Amino acid sequence: MATTKTNGLWRELSAEFAGTMILILFGVGVVAQVVAGGLGDHDSIAWAWGLGVTLGVYTAARISGAHINPAVTFSLAIFKGFPWIKVLPYIVAQFLGAFVAALIVRWNYTEMLHSVDPGLTIKTQGVFSTLPGNGALPIGTWGAFRDQVIGTAILMFMVLALTDLLNLPPLANLAPLMIGLLVVAIGMAWGTAAGYAINPARDFGPRLASYLTGYESAFRDQYGNLYFWVPILGPLIGGPLGALLYQLLIGRHLTVEQVEESVTPVGTVGVKEEGTGR
């Protein structure tokens, strides 16, 4: 029995690694293309990150549930009964997936990065990790921290809204697509103050990869302050906050009995028929 459980956990960790790796290959890859290659703009970055999330979720969903974000794993453990014993292994797998993907991007864009930024400075550091005000705007550490809490709270609130079987979630396996569009929307509406990391693995994995490959300032911001902790701690606070708000405002009103008594919205499939299995 123990061997079966261990093998099952390794399958899940493999899926989290792969899903997070796919996310970062597209996300960090598009920023490298824009910054180092001069192709694309903010919109292409937002769309590629969103599509990266969609593809990462589709990659891992069947096996692990496709958290691909430590803030999601942590929040689900607090509010949705995800086993605490799996939290740290999931987070490690997510960080490793992001780290390996960033190394691949770093290797592939080596010539262009060194061409536009021979010293590997703050000029291209943002390819791999986030900075307050995207390295250019007058945002400080605490402004960026506030932004990460709010942005991740929005993310987690909507992830639960889109996956709660009692809340008319997207059907026909469309939830990953909608979650990807959610990330596009966050990028377009909440990308100014801190680059919308909203995912500790997404930021720290590539940050470490860039540091080990020549970016000596990788753990600091443009002001010289230690910054790496902001996209880690901010999301780990914001994720549970968003989950709590969802539970208070929506989730606690969606018991099976209450949903069955409610009127089905016009143009939708009834929750009783599709959501509860009855």
Side-chain angles (χ1 to χ4, degrees), residues 79-80 157 160 240-254:
F79 290 98
K80 291 296 183 179
F157 184 99
L160 292 179
L241 176 60
L244 174 62
L245 290 172
Y246 177 80
Q247 190 61 32
L248 290 175
L249 297 175
I250 303 295
R252 68 191 182 98
H253 302 299
L254 292 174

Side-chain angles (χ1 to χ4, degrees), residues 23 44-56 176-177 179-184 196:
L23 161 63
S44 61
I45 290 174
W47 278 105
W49 272 110
L51 289 170
V53 169
T54 293
L55 297 172
L177 176 60
I179 293 171
L181 290 175
L182 164 64
V183 172
V184 173
Y196 70 107

Side-chain angles (χ1 to χ4, degrees), residues 5-252:
K5 289 183 177 179
T6 301
N7 289 340
L9 178 58
W10 278 110
R11 290 173 63 248
E12 294 171 35
L13 299 183
S14 177
E16 285 297 303
F17 174 91
T20 311
M21 183 173 66
I22 293 298
L23 161 63
I24 300 302
L25 285 173
F26 285 98
V28 172
V30 71
V31 183
Q33 178 168 273
V34 172
V35 173
L39 299 175
D41 53 21
H42 173 269
D43 286 353
S44 61
I45 290 174
W47 278 105
W49 272 110
L51 289 170
V53 169
T54 293
L55 297 172
V57 173
Y58 274 124
T59 295
R62 176 65 69 182
I63 298 174
S64 70
H67 300 182
I68 63 175
N69 183 338
V72 172
T73 300
F74 186 50
S75 301
L76 292 178
I78 296 173
F79 290 98
K80 291 296 183 179
F82 182 75
W84 280 102
I85 197 171
K86 293 183 179 182
V87 170
L88 183 58
Y90 262 54
I91 290 175
V92 171
Q94 293 155 2
F95 275 115
L96 288 175
F99 176 74
V100 170
L103 286 178
I104 294 171
V105 174
R106 174 71 175 87
W107 180 34
N108 193 58
Y109 280 90
T110 293
E111 295 86 355
M112 284 176 281
L113 288 168
H114 282 270
S115 175
V116 301
D117 185 17
L120 299 179
T121 67
I122 202 80
K123 180 179 179 180
T124 57
Q125 181 178 313
V127 166
F128 300 95
S129 52
T130 58
L131 291 162
N134 292 313
L137 299 172
I139 304 294
T141 300
W142 293 107
F145 181 81
R146 173 193 64 218
D147 172 87
Q148 285 300 286
V149 172
I150 295 172
T152 315
I154 294 170
L155 172 71
M156 196 65 219
F157 184 99
M158 289 307 306
V159 165
L160 292 179
L162 290 168
T163 58
D164 191 338
L165 292 179
L166 294 175
N167 194 34
L168 293 177
L171 301 178
N173 201 24
L174 289 177
L177 176 60
M178 297 307 300
I179 293 171
L181 290 175
L182 164 64
V183 172
V184 173
I186 291 174
M188 290 182 170
W190 292 88
T192 300
Y196 70 107
I198 57 176
N199 181 337
R202 168 268 174 274
D203 194 85
F204 187 74
R207 192 180 294 272
L208 180 60
S210 66
Y211 177 77
L212 295 176
T213 57
Y215 284 85
E216 295 181 0
S217 62
F219 292 101
R220 298 184 179 273
D221 61 20
Q222 65 268 33
Y223 309 113
N225 301 319
L226 277 178
Y227 182 77
F228 74 93
W229 60 272
V230 172
I232 296 176
L233 185 57
L236 289 177
I237 293 173
L241 176 60
L244 174 62
L245 290 172
Y246 177 80
Q247 190 61 32
L248 290 175
L249 297 175
I250 303 295
R252 68 191 182 98

